[in-house]
Amino acid sequence: MSSNNPARTISERFSTEAKSYRNYIGGRFAEPSASQIDVLNPATGAVVGRVPESTAQEVDAAVRAAKAAQPSWEQLPAIERAGHLRAISAKLRRHRTELADIIVREQGKIRSLAQVEVDFTADYIDYMAEWARRLEGEVLTSDRPKETMLLLRKPIGVVAGILPWNFPFFLIARKMAPALVTGNTIVIKPSEETPINAFVFAELVAETDLPAGVFNLVGGKGPGAGTALVKHPDVDLVTFTGSVATGTRIMQMAAENLTRVNLELGGKAPAIVLADADLDLAAKAIHASRVINTGQVCNCAERLYVEEPVHDALIAKLKVLFEQTRWGDPSETDDLDMGPLINRAALDKVEAAVRKATEEGARIVTGGNVTGQDKGHHFEPTLIVGATAAMEIMRRETFGPVLPVQAVKNLDEAIALANDTEYGLTSSIYTSNINSALRASRELKFGETYINRENFEAMQGFHAGRRKSGIGGADGKHGLYEFTETHVIYIQGQ
Ligand code: NAD
């Protein structure tokens, strides 16, 4: 157990008092940082807690700790590394309700979804731990007599994980678990919007026997701590989830040291509804996908293409569902479909996108307004028809509870419009015709396609974006391999 773990009771750790947290570096909670970031509840504006605004020196200390710990961590049998991961997931399960409360308070997620996030995170860590006995190399056939060729998979070294705010807790595991089971060590920098869940995660890690320096956490903003981490010469892989703009910047900075990058970026997922679809199923799934996490999900349906014969019927069904959506402050009420947007800038962005769409000729069927402005950043669930391919609302990620709809003549047109985008993460299609579904699977140019359902990717899948939605991917065997590099051994026999 780590030595200078601040002696805090469970109720103190999870109390609703705004507290100041400390970086977790080399198995110790560091001295308080000179500068702190106030973390706000997006539903109320109240300060939830304070985290360090780390300097380049503090980031350097974390990377050095990770580097020092890596060789002996790599030497541990993988099954022992997995044991450490399982000890962490057990801690998360023990405190599942309190952890969900934190996510509700700092991210504005509704409680049921926050609970799913915590439980999925624990399951994800266990899933990655299972790979300990399954990581395999290869024996290759040599061109030379008496030679044996081995391809080994090895850890990359020190991983930097830079996180967004929309699934802040799960993203810790998505970076940490595959990194650690394959023998890397890690430094995590959570989003400055939602860091507290990560600092509490570190406190739970500190209560396990994980060797010092294997998991490190630094608070801070993008241009400060984030930049210092990406540019650090001892970081071997930057795994980043966030916006295209930041991903581009990170790739540029990583190029200075030729540091590897794994980028999970934004999306503008098209949903296609054909005339033979089950319209009730499609309406329910697309509505849920649009309001989940208040529309702040990278692989939610962000634009809808509907075959003309069923356009009006589908819109009527969607209108009912959009108008039934319950929203409010999730820290006060459980019975909600969505909470606030993350901050004022997000609210302004969504409002501007809707205004621009109407100026360009689209029509609001329902919603379209900022609401509850004095308390939280709420925007009404908004359904828009008459959208066209040229409109910005069909081209740029909105990241809010807004669904623009375009009528199409047929599947040909729908696929062409869906593919006409700079993103390439997720897509979906609703049809009862197997041939249409198969054709969409062949021709949609996205990392994932959902047929007759919307997002929630599986941990054994491979969540990867094409074009500007990213480089590399996460989850499953292929996601695990992103944290390894190969080493070919030639053994010349006599
Ligand atoms: P963001 O790019 O603003 O910030 C993400 C992280 O990058 C934060 O921790 C931030 O501090 C850091 N950062 C910012 N500037 C930096 C810099 N110059 N150097 C280093 N780090 C820097 O993204 P966000 O607003 O937190 O997240 C929302 C975005 O994330 C959306 O575009 C969404 O689609 C995307 N996202 C993608 C996936 C996926 O799997 N593809 C999943 C979740 C979210």
PDB file of all heavy atoms in Angstrom, residues 162-166 174 189-192 221-223 226-227 230 240-243 246 249-250 253 264-267 298 397 399 425 463, ligand 1:
ATOM      1  N   ILE A 162      -4.427  11.277 -22.546  1.00  0.00           N
ATOM      2  CA  ILE A 162      -5.064  12.598 -22.409  1.00  0.00           C
ATOM      3  C   ILE A 162      -6.560  12.427 -22.694  1.00  0.00           C
ATOM      4  O   ILE A 162      -6.942  11.906 -23.741  1.00  0.00           O
ATOM      5  CB  ILE A 162      -4.405  13.621 -23.353  1.00  0.00           C
ATOM      6  CG1 ILE A 162      -2.919  13.743 -22.993  1.00  0.00           C
ATOM      7  CG2 ILE A 162      -5.093  14.981 -23.250  1.00  0.00           C
ATOM      8  CD1 ILE A 162      -2.148  14.749 -23.806  1.00  0.00           C
ATOM      9  N   LEU A 163      -7.381  12.860 -21.741  1.00  0.00           N
ATOM     10  CA  LEU A 163      -8.793  12.480 -21.749  1.00  0.00           C
ATOM     11  C   LEU A 163      -9.733  13.655 -22.027  1.00  0.00           C
ATOM     12  O   LEU A 163      -9.441  14.784 -21.655  1.00  0.00           O
ATOM     13  CB  LEU A 163      -9.182  11.895 -20.381  1.00  0.00           C
ATOM     14  CG  LEU A 163      -8.249  10.859 -19.758  1.00  0.00           C
ATOM     15  CD1 LEU A 163      -8.874  10.331 -18.474  1.00  0.00           C
ATOM     16  CD2 LEU A 163      -7.954   9.722 -20.704  1.00  0.00           C
ATOM     17  N   PRO A 164     -10.904  13.338 -22.590  1.00  0.00           N
ATOM     18  CA  PRO A 164     -11.956  14.346 -22.758  1.00  0.00           C
ATOM     19  C   PRO A 164     -12.877  14.330 -21.527  1.00  0.00           C
ATOM     20  O   PRO A 164     -12.655  13.560 -20.596  1.00  0.00           O
ATOM     21  CB  PRO A 164     -12.706  13.838 -23.985  1.00  0.00           C
ATOM     22  CG  PRO A 164     -12.655  12.344 -23.812  1.00  0.00           C
ATOM     23  CD  PRO A 164     -11.344  12.029 -23.136  1.00  0.00           C
ATOM     24  N   TRP A 165     -13.934  15.115 -21.584  1.00  0.00           N
ATOM     25  CA  TRP A 165     -14.818  15.218 -20.415  1.00  0.00           C
ATOM     26  C   TRP A 165     -16.102  14.418 -20.572  1.00  0.00           C
ATOM     27  O   TRP A 165     -16.877  14.303 -19.630  1.00  0.00           O
ATOM     28  CB  TRP A 165     -15.169  16.690 -20.149  1.00  0.00           C
ATOM     29  CG  TRP A 165     -15.599  17.422 -21.395  1.00  0.00           C
ATOM     30  CD1 TRP A 165     -14.823  18.235 -22.171  1.00  0.00           C
ATOM     31  CD2 TRP A 165     -16.872  17.363 -22.033  1.00  0.00           C
ATOM     32  NE1 TRP A 165     -15.532  18.680 -23.252  1.00  0.00           N
ATOM     33  CE2 TRP A 165     -16.804  18.161 -23.191  1.00  0.00           C
ATOM     34  CE3 TRP A 165     -18.076  16.711 -21.746  1.00  0.00           C
ATOM     35  CZ2 TRP A 165     -17.886  18.323 -24.061  1.00  0.00           C
ATOM     36  CZ3 TRP A 165     -19.140  16.876 -22.615  1.00  0.00           C
ATOM     37  CH2 TRP A 165     -19.034  17.678 -23.752  1.00  0.00           C
ATOM     38  N   ASN A 166     -16.385  13.863 -21.755  1.00  0.00           N
ATOM     39  CA  ASN A 166     -17.749  13.330 -21.929  1.00  0.00           C
ATOM     40  C   ASN A 166     -17.967  11.946 -21.319  1.00  0.00           C
ATOM     41  O   ASN A 166     -19.058  11.654 -20.844  1.00  0.00           O
ATOM     42  CB  ASN A 166     -18.180  13.397 -23.398  1.00  0.00           C
ATOM     43  CG  ASN A 166     -17.349  12.540 -24.310  1.00  0.00           C
ATOM     44  OD1 ASN A 166     -16.224  12.170 -23.982  1.00  0.00           O
ATOM     45  ND2 ASN A 166     -17.882  12.221 -25.464  1.00  0.00           N
ATOM     46  N   ARG A 174     -10.006   2.924 -20.465  1.00  0.00           N
ATOM     47  CA  ARG A 174      -9.736   2.594 -21.872  1.00  0.00           C
ATOM     48  C   ARG A 174      -8.273   2.836 -22.221  1.00  0.00           C
ATOM     49  O   ARG A 174      -7.717   2.195 -23.112  1.00  0.00           O
ATOM     50  CB  ARG A 174     -10.639   3.437 -22.772  1.00  0.00           C
ATOM     51  CG  ARG A 174     -10.867   2.833 -24.115  1.00  0.00           C
ATOM     52  CD  ARG A 174     -11.722   3.705 -24.988  1.00  0.00           C
ATOM     53  NE  ARG A 174     -12.774   2.950 -25.630  1.00  0.00           N
ATOM     54  CZ  ARG A 174     -13.727   3.498 -26.368  1.00  0.00           C
ATOM     55  NH1 ARG A 174     -13.790   4.797 -26.518  1.00  0.00           N
ATOM     56  NH2 ARG A 174     -14.632   2.743 -26.944  1.00  0.00           N
ATOM     57  N   LYS A 189      -3.687  12.494 -17.953  1.00  0.00           N
ATOM     58  CA  LYS A 189      -4.132  13.869 -17.707  1.00  0.00           C
ATOM     59  C   LYS A 189      -5.618  13.943 -18.067  1.00  0.00           C
ATOM     60  O   LYS A 189      -5.995  13.887 -19.240  1.00  0.00           O
ATOM     61  CB  LYS A 189      -3.357  14.903 -18.527  1.00  0.00           C
ATOM     62  CG  LYS A 189      -3.680  16.317 -18.014  1.00  0.00           C
ATOM     63  CD  LYS A 189      -3.467  17.419 -19.014  1.00  0.00           C
ATOM     64  CE  LYS A 189      -4.584  17.637 -19.979  1.00  0.00           C
ATOM     65  NZ  LYS A 189      -5.884  18.056 -19.380  1.00  0.00           N
ATOM     66  N   PRO A 190      -6.476  14.083 -17.043  1.00  0.00           N
ATOM     67  CA  PRO A 190      -7.906  14.180 -17.345  1.00  0.00           C
ATOM     68  C   PRO A 190      -8.248  15.553 -17.892  1.00  0.00           C
ATOM     69  O   PRO A 190      -7.438  16.482 -17.818  1.00  0.00           O
ATOM     70  CB  PRO A 190      -8.567  13.968 -15.981  1.00  0.00           C
ATOM     71  CG  PRO A 190      -7.544  14.419 -14.986  1.00  0.00           C
ATOM     72  CD  PRO A 190      -6.190  14.178 -15.608  1.00  0.00           C
ATOM     73  N   SER A 191      -9.460  15.687 -18.406  1.00  0.00           N
ATOM     74  CA  SER A 191      -9.917  16.998 -18.872  1.00  0.00           C
ATOM     75  C   SER A 191     -10.036  17.945 -17.680  1.00  0.00           C
ATOM     76  O   SER A 191     -10.460  17.545 -16.597  1.00  0.00           O
ATOM     77  CB  SER A 191     -11.279  16.853 -19.549  1.00  0.00           C
ATOM     78  OG  SER A 191     -11.864  18.126 -19.708  1.00  0.00           O
ATOM     79  N   GLU A 192      -9.713  19.198 -17.897  1.00  0.00           N
ATOM     80  CA  GLU A 192      -9.849  20.200 -16.837  1.00  0.00           C
ATOM     81  C   GLU A 192     -11.306  20.428 -16.458  1.00  0.00           C
ATOM     82  O   GLU A 192     -11.610  20.977 -15.410  1.00  0.00           O
ATOM     83  CB  GLU A 192      -9.182  21.517 -17.239  1.00  0.00           C
ATOM     84  CG  GLU A 192      -9.626  22.119 -18.566  1.00  0.00           C
ATOM     85  CD  GLU A 192      -8.816  21.609 -19.764  1.00  0.00           C
ATOM     86  OE1 GLU A 192      -8.562  20.387 -19.842  1.00  0.00           O
ATOM     87  OE2 GLU A 192      -8.448  22.437 -20.620  1.00  0.00           O
ATOM     88  N   LYS A 221      -4.420  21.970 -17.641  1.00  0.00           N
ATOM     89  CA  LYS A 221      -5.113  22.355 -18.873  1.00  0.00           C
ATOM     90  C   LYS A 221      -4.336  21.853 -20.088  1.00  0.00           C
ATOM     91  O   LYS A 221      -3.171  21.470 -19.976  1.00  0.00           O
ATOM     92  CB  LYS A 221      -5.262  23.871 -18.916  1.00  0.00           C
ATOM     93  CG  LYS A 221      -6.145  24.375 -17.777  1.00  0.00           C
ATOM     94  CD  LYS A 221      -6.484  25.839 -17.923  1.00  0.00           C
ATOM     95  CE  LYS A 221      -7.445  26.224 -16.793  1.00  0.00           C
ATOM     96  NZ  LYS A 221      -7.647  27.662 -16.669  1.00  0.00           N
ATOM     97  N   GLY A 222      -5.001  21.940 -21.238  1.00  0.00           N
ATOM     98  CA  GLY A 222      -4.389  21.439 -22.461  1.00  0.00           C
ATOM     99  C   GLY A 222      -3.084  22.125 -22.817  1.00  0.00           C
ATOM    100  O   GLY A 222      -2.038  21.468 -22.938  1.00  0.00           O
ATOM    101  N   PRO A 223      -3.129  23.448 -22.976  1.00  0.00           N
ATOM    102  CA  PRO A 223      -1.913  24.119 -23.439  1.00  0.00           C
ATOM    103  C   PRO A 223      -0.762  24.041 -22.430  1.00  0.00           C
ATOM    104  O   PRO A 223       0.388  24.188 -22.804  1.00  0.00           O
ATOM    105  CB  PRO A 223      -2.366  25.583 -23.610  1.00  0.00           C
ATOM    106  CG  PRO A 223      -3.850  25.507 -23.750  1.00  0.00           C
ATOM    107  CD  PRO A 223      -4.292  24.337 -22.918  1.00  0.00           C
ATOM    108  N   GLY A 226      -1.006  19.463 -20.721  1.00  0.00           N
ATOM    109  CA  GLY A 226      -1.205  18.585 -21.872  1.00  0.00           C
ATOM    110  C   GLY A 226      -0.042  18.684 -22.844  1.00  0.00           C
ATOM    111  O   GLY A 226       0.524  17.676 -23.285  1.00  0.00           O
ATOM    112  N   THR A 227       0.334  19.915 -23.150  1.00  0.00           N
ATOM    113  CA  THR A 227       1.444  20.141 -24.082  1.00  0.00           C
ATOM    114  C   THR A 227       2.747  19.570 -23.525  1.00  0.00           C
ATOM    115  O   THR A 227       3.520  18.913 -24.244  1.00  0.00           O
ATOM    116  CB  THR A 227       1.598  21.659 -24.340  1.00  0.00           C
ATOM    117  OG1 THR A 227       0.382  22.112 -24.901  1.00  0.00           O
ATOM    118  CG2 THR A 227       2.730  21.961 -25.279  1.00  0.00           C
ATOM    119  N   VAL A 230       2.738  15.820 -24.008  1.00  0.00           N
ATOM    120  CA  VAL A 230       2.894  15.374 -25.401  1.00  0.00           C
ATOM    121  C   VAL A 230       4.327  15.587 -25.882  1.00  0.00           C
ATOM    122  O   VAL A 230       4.882  14.760 -26.615  1.00  0.00           O
ATOM    123  CB  VAL A 230       1.906  16.123 -26.320  1.00  0.00           C
ATOM    124  CG1 VAL A 230       2.164  15.781 -27.786  1.00  0.00           C
ATOM    125  CG2 VAL A 230       0.465  15.804 -25.941  1.00  0.00           C
ATOM    126  N   PHE A 240      -4.832   9.709 -27.117  1.00  0.00           N
ATOM    127  CA  PHE A 240      -5.642  10.911 -26.890  1.00  0.00           C
ATOM    128  C   PHE A 240      -7.067  10.681 -27.352  1.00  0.00           C
ATOM    129  O   PHE A 240      -7.302  10.105 -28.420  1.00  0.00           O
ATOM    130  CB  PHE A 240      -5.033  12.066 -27.692  1.00  0.00           C
ATOM    131  CG  PHE A 240      -5.940  13.274 -27.788  1.00  0.00           C
ATOM    132  CD1 PHE A 240      -6.082  14.135 -26.712  1.00  0.00           C
ATOM    133  CD2 PHE A 240      -6.660  13.537 -28.942  1.00  0.00           C
ATOM    134  CE1 PHE A 240      -6.924  15.246 -26.785  1.00  0.00           C
ATOM    135  CE2 PHE A 240      -7.506  14.639 -29.037  1.00  0.00           C
ATOM    136  CZ  PHE A 240      -7.634  15.496 -27.950  1.00  0.00           C
ATOM    137  N   THR A 241      -8.023  11.134 -26.555  1.00  0.00           N
ATOM    138  CA  THR A 241      -9.407  11.183 -27.006  1.00  0.00           C
ATOM    139  C   THR A 241      -9.892  12.610 -26.826  1.00  0.00           C
ATOM    140  O   THR A 241      -9.764  13.185 -25.738  1.00  0.00           O
ATOM    141  CB  THR A 241     -10.297  10.217 -26.197  1.00  0.00           C
ATOM    142  OG1 THR A 241      -9.774   8.900 -26.335  1.00  0.00           O
ATOM    143  CG2 THR A 241     -11.723  10.237 -26.699  1.00  0.00           C
ATOM    144  N   GLY A 242     -10.443  13.179 -27.890  1.00  0.00           N
ATOM    145  CA  GLY A 242     -10.919  14.556 -27.817  1.00  0.00           C
ATOM    146  C   GLY A 242     -11.255  15.073 -29.193  1.00  0.00           C
ATOM    147  O   GLY A 242     -11.592  14.297 -30.105  1.00  0.00           O
ATOM    148  N   SER A 243     -11.135  16.372 -29.362  1.00  0.00           N
ATOM    149  CA  SER A 243     -11.594  17.003 -30.602  1.00  0.00           C
ATOM    150  C   SER A 243     -10.571  16.845 -31.732  1.00  0.00           C
ATOM    151  O   SER A 243      -9.383  16.607 -31.497  1.00  0.00           O
ATOM    152  CB  SER A 243     -11.849  18.490 -30.349  1.00  0.00           C
ATOM    153  OG  SER A 243     -10.650  19.104 -29.950  1.00  0.00           O
ATOM    154  N   THR A 246      -7.719  19.504 -31.402  1.00  0.00           N
ATOM    155  CA  THR A 246      -6.655  19.172 -30.437  1.00  0.00           C
ATOM    156  C   THR A 246      -5.845  17.971 -30.927  1.00  0.00           C
ATOM    157  O   THR A 246      -4.620  17.941 -30.783  1.00  0.00           O
ATOM    158  CB  THR A 246      -7.251  18.892 -29.040  1.00  0.00           C
ATOM    159  OG1 THR A 246      -8.063  19.991 -28.658  1.00  0.00           O
ATOM    160  CG2 THR A 246      -6.169  18.695 -28.007  1.00  0.00           C
ATOM    161  N   ARG A 249      -3.307  19.128 -33.308  1.00  0.00           N
ATOM    162  CA  ARG A 249      -2.224  19.835 -32.615  1.00  0.00           C
ATOM    163  C   ARG A 249      -1.290  18.824 -31.925  1.00  0.00           C
ATOM    164  O   ARG A 249      -0.068  18.955 -31.962  1.00  0.00           O
ATOM    165  CB  ARG A 249      -2.874  20.790 -31.596  1.00  0.00           C
ATOM    166  CG  ARG A 249      -1.965  21.664 -30.815  1.00  0.00           C
ATOM    167  CD  ARG A 249      -1.460  22.861 -31.617  1.00  0.00           C
ATOM    168  NE  ARG A 249      -0.276  23.441 -30.981  1.00  0.00           N
ATOM    169  CZ  ARG A 249       0.979  23.179 -31.345  1.00  0.00           C
ATOM    170  NH1 ARG A 249       1.233  22.383 -32.361  1.00  0.00           N
ATOM    171  NH2 ARG A 249       1.993  23.734 -30.707  1.00  0.00           N
ATOM    172  N   ILE A 250      -1.889  17.818 -31.326  1.00  0.00           N
ATOM    173  CA  ILE A 250      -1.098  16.805 -30.615  1.00  0.00           C
ATOM    174  C   ILE A 250      -0.196  16.054 -31.589  1.00  0.00           C
ATOM    175  O   ILE A 250       0.984  15.806 -31.323  1.00  0.00           O
ATOM    176  CB  ILE A 250      -2.034  15.856 -29.827  1.00  0.00           C
ATOM    177  CG1 ILE A 250      -2.510  16.584 -28.568  1.00  0.00           C
ATOM    178  CG2 ILE A 250      -1.347  14.524 -29.490  1.00  0.00           C
ATOM    179  CD1 ILE A 250      -3.458  15.831 -27.695  1.00  0.00           C
ATOM    180  N   MET A 253       2.733  18.205 -32.420  1.00  0.00           N
ATOM    181  CA  MET A 253       3.723  18.303 -31.334  1.00  0.00           C
ATOM    182  C   MET A 253       4.463  16.977 -31.165  1.00  0.00           C
ATOM    183  O   MET A 253       5.669  16.959 -30.917  1.00  0.00           O
ATOM    184  CB  MET A 253       3.038  18.680 -30.019  1.00  0.00           C
ATOM    185  CG  MET A 253       2.494  20.095 -30.008  1.00  0.00           C
ATOM    186  SD  MET A 253       1.941  20.612 -28.372  1.00  0.00           S
ATOM    187  CE  MET A 253       0.508  19.594 -28.126  1.00  0.00           C
ATOM    188  N   GLU A 264      -8.395   9.278 -30.915  1.00  0.00           N
ATOM    189  CA  GLU A 264      -9.836   8.999 -30.998  1.00  0.00           C
ATOM    190  C   GLU A 264     -10.532  10.345 -31.019  1.00  0.00           C
ATOM    191  O   GLU A 264     -10.647  10.999 -29.982  1.00  0.00           O
ATOM    192  CB  GLU A 264     -10.289   8.223 -29.756  1.00  0.00           C
ATOM    193  CG  GLU A 264      -9.584   6.910 -29.535  1.00  0.00           C
ATOM    194  CD  GLU A 264     -10.058   5.855 -30.498  1.00  0.00           C
ATOM    195  OE1 GLU A 264     -11.252   5.824 -30.817  1.00  0.00           O
ATOM    196  OE2 GLU A 264      -9.207   5.093 -30.967  1.00  0.00           O
ATOM    197  N   LEU A 265     -11.016  10.754 -32.186  1.00  0.00           N
ATOM    198  CA  LEU A 265     -11.455  12.146 -32.318  1.00  0.00           C
ATOM    199  C   LEU A 265     -12.961  12.247 -32.557  1.00  0.00           C
ATOM    200  O   LEU A 265     -13.705  11.321 -32.278  1.00  0.00           O
ATOM    201  CB  LEU A 265     -10.637  12.810 -33.424  1.00  0.00           C
ATOM    202  CG  LEU A 265      -9.110  12.634 -33.273  1.00  0.00           C
ATOM    203  CD1 LEU A 265      -8.357  13.289 -34.417  1.00  0.00           C
ATOM    204  CD2 LEU A 265      -8.617  13.171 -31.932  1.00  0.00           C
ATOM    205  N   GLY A 266     -13.376  13.372 -33.061  1.00  0.00           N
ATOM    206  CA  GLY A 266     -14.800  13.655 -33.171  1.00  0.00           C
ATOM    207  C   GLY A 266     -15.493  12.872 -34.286  1.00  0.00           C
ATOM    208  O   GLY A 266     -14.866  12.122 -35.038  1.00  0.00           O
ATOM    209  N   GLY A 267     -16.801  13.054 -34.364  1.00  0.00           N
ATOM    210  CA  GLY A 267     -17.562  12.358 -35.393  1.00  0.00           C
ATOM    211  C   GLY A 267     -18.765  13.175 -35.838  1.00  0.00           C
ATOM    212  O   GLY A 267     -19.076  14.227 -35.261  1.00  0.00           O
ATOM    213  N   CYS A 298     -19.292  10.915 -29.050  1.00  0.00           N
ATOM    214  CA  CYS A 298     -18.623  10.961 -30.350  1.00  0.00           C
ATOM    215  C   CYS A 298     -19.312  10.112 -31.408  1.00  0.00           C
ATOM    216  O   CYS A 298     -19.227  10.411 -32.585  1.00  0.00           O
ATOM    217  CB  CYS A 298     -17.181  10.511 -30.199  1.00  0.00           C
ATOM    218  SG  CYS A 298     -17.052   8.839 -29.524  1.00  0.00           S
ATOM    219  N   GLU A 397     -19.458  18.676 -36.288  1.00  0.00           N
ATOM    220  CA  GLU A 397     -19.954  18.062 -35.055  1.00  0.00           C
ATOM    221  C   GLU A 397     -20.631  19.123 -34.192  1.00  0.00           C
ATOM    222  O   GLU A 397     -20.051  20.175 -33.911  1.00  0.00           O
ATOM    223  CB  GLU A 397     -18.768  17.447 -34.292  1.00  0.00           C
ATOM    224  CG  GLU A 397     -19.174  16.613 -33.102  1.00  0.00           C
ATOM    225  CD  GLU A 397     -17.959  16.024 -32.361  1.00  0.00           C
ATOM    226  OE1 GLU A 397     -17.011  16.775 -32.040  1.00  0.00           O
ATOM    227  OE2 GLU A 397     -17.962  14.808 -32.103  1.00  0.00           O
ATOM    228  N   PHE A 399     -22.432  18.250 -31.098  1.00  0.00           N
ATOM    229  CA  PHE A 399     -22.224  17.813 -29.717  1.00  0.00           C
ATOM    230  C   PHE A 399     -23.277  18.396 -28.783  1.00  0.00           C
ATOM    231  O   PHE A 399     -22.984  18.975 -27.736  1.00  0.00           O
ATOM    232  CB  PHE A 399     -20.816  18.182 -29.243  1.00  0.00           C
ATOM    233  CG  PHE A 399     -20.051  16.990 -28.713  1.00  0.00           C
ATOM    234  CD1 PHE A 399     -20.027  15.807 -29.420  1.00  0.00           C
ATOM    235  CD2 PHE A 399     -19.347  17.053 -27.512  1.00  0.00           C
ATOM    236  CE1 PHE A 399     -19.335  14.701 -28.944  1.00  0.00           C
ATOM    237  CE2 PHE A 399     -18.651  15.949 -27.018  1.00  0.00           C
ATOM    238  CZ  PHE A 399     -18.648  14.775 -27.739  1.00  0.00           C
ATOM    239  N   LEU A 425     -16.215   7.969 -38.021  1.00  0.00           N
ATOM    240  CA  LEU A 425     -16.219   7.110 -36.839  1.00  0.00           C
ATOM    241  C   LEU A 425     -17.362   6.097 -36.898  1.00  0.00           C
ATOM    242  O   LEU A 425     -17.148   4.896 -36.928  1.00  0.00           O
ATOM    243  CB  LEU A 425     -16.323   7.993 -35.582  1.00  0.00           C
ATOM    244  CG  LEU A 425     -16.177   7.319 -34.230  1.00  0.00           C
ATOM    245  CD1 LEU A 425     -14.846   6.591 -34.107  1.00  0.00           C
ATOM    246  CD2 LEU A 425     -16.299   8.350 -33.106  1.00  0.00           C
ATOM    247  N   HIS A 463     -13.028   0.225 -31.715  1.00  0.00           N
ATOM    248  CA  HIS A 463     -13.608   1.550 -31.892  1.00  0.00           C
ATOM    249  C   HIS A 463     -12.555   2.433 -32.556  1.00  0.00           C
ATOM    250  O   HIS A 463     -11.612   2.871 -31.903  1.00  0.00           O
ATOM    251  CB  HIS A 463     -13.989   2.080 -30.507  1.00  0.00           C
ATOM    252  CG  HIS A 463     -14.634   3.413 -30.493  1.00  0.00           C
ATOM    253  ND1 HIS A 463     -15.836   3.666 -31.119  1.00  0.00           N
ATOM    254  CD2 HIS A 463     -14.272   4.582 -29.905  1.00  0.00           C
ATOM    255  CE1 HIS A 463     -16.176   4.927 -30.918  1.00  0.00           C
ATOM    256  NE2 HIS A 463     -15.238   5.499 -30.196  1.00  0.00           N
TER     257      HIS A 463
HETATM  258  P1  NAD B   1     -10.684  18.648 -26.321  1.00  0.00           P
HETATM  259  O1  NAD B   1      -9.917  18.313 -27.528  1.00  0.00           O
HETATM  260  O2  NAD B   1     -11.088  20.046 -26.089  1.00  0.00           O
HETATM  261  O3  NAD B   1      -9.875  18.231 -24.996  1.00  0.00           O
HETATM  262  C1  NAD B   1      -9.491  16.901 -24.749  1.00  0.00           C
HETATM  263  C2  NAD B   1      -8.258  16.882 -23.875  1.00  0.00           C
HETATM  264  O4  NAD B   1      -7.179  17.465 -24.574  1.00  0.00           O
HETATM  265  C3  NAD B   1      -8.382  17.646 -22.562  1.00  0.00           C
HETATM  266  O5  NAD B   1      -7.785  16.882 -21.538  1.00  0.00           O
HETATM  267  C4  NAD B   1      -7.581  18.896 -22.825  1.00  0.00           C
HETATM  268  O6  NAD B   1      -7.020  19.462 -21.663  1.00  0.00           O
HETATM  269  C5  NAD B   1      -6.495  18.361 -23.737  1.00  0.00           C
HETATM  270  N1  NAD B   1      -5.841  19.375 -24.576  1.00  0.00           N
HETATM  271  C6  NAD B   1      -6.385  20.492 -25.122  1.00  0.00           C
HETATM  272  N2  NAD B   1      -5.453  21.173 -25.820  1.00  0.00           N
HETATM  273  C7  NAD B   1      -4.296  20.449 -25.723  1.00  0.00           C
HETATM  274  C8  NAD B   1      -2.986  20.626 -26.213  1.00  0.00           C
HETATM  275  N3  NAD B   1      -2.649  21.685 -26.955  1.00  0.00           N
HETATM  276  N4  NAD B   1      -2.050  19.703 -25.913  1.00  0.00           N
HETATM  277  C9  NAD B   1      -2.358  18.614 -25.169  1.00  0.00           C
HETATM  278  N5  NAD B   1      -3.591  18.404 -24.653  1.00  0.00           N
HETATM  279  C10 NAD B   1      -4.546  19.303 -24.931  1.00  0.00           C
HETATM  280  O7  NAD B   1     -11.948  17.667 -26.341  1.00  0.00           O
HETATM  281  P2  NAD B   1     -13.184  17.639 -25.338  1.00  0.00           P
HETATM  282  O8  NAD B   1     -14.019  18.848 -25.592  1.00  0.00           O
HETATM  283  O9  NAD B   1     -12.720  17.347 -23.962  1.00  0.00           O
HETATM  284  O10 NAD B   1     -13.959  16.332 -25.836  1.00  0.00           O
HETATM  285  C11 NAD B   1     -14.972  16.348 -26.794  1.00  0.00           C
HETATM  286  C12 NAD B   1     -14.452  15.799 -28.105  1.00  0.00           C
HETATM  287  O11 NAD B   1     -13.959  14.488 -27.894  1.00  0.00           O
HETATM  288  C13 NAD B   1     -15.527  15.662 -29.151  1.00  0.00           C
HETATM  289  O12 NAD B   1     -15.043  16.105 -30.393  1.00  0.00           O
HETATM  290  C14 NAD B   1     -15.792  14.165 -29.203  1.00  0.00           C
HETATM  291  O13 NAD B   1     -16.311  13.712 -30.428  1.00  0.00           O
HETATM  292  C15 NAD B   1     -14.452  13.622 -28.909  1.00  0.00           C
HETATM  293  N6  NAD B   1     -14.542  12.249 -28.388  1.00  0.00           N
HETATM  294  C16 NAD B   1     -14.151  11.229 -29.198  1.00  0.00           C
HETATM  295  C17 NAD B   1     -14.251   9.915 -28.760  1.00  0.00           C
HETATM  296  C18 NAD B   1     -13.816   8.778 -29.633  1.00  0.00           C
HETATM  297  O14 NAD B   1     -13.735   7.660 -29.134  1.00  0.00           O
HETATM  298  N7  NAD B   1     -13.537   8.985 -30.901  1.00  0.00           N
HETATM  299  C19 NAD B   1     -14.752   9.646 -27.488  1.00  0.00           C
HETATM  300  C20 NAD B   1     -15.134  10.714 -26.686  1.00  0.00           C
HETATM  301  C21 NAD B   1     -15.015  12.015 -27.154  1.00  0.00           C
END
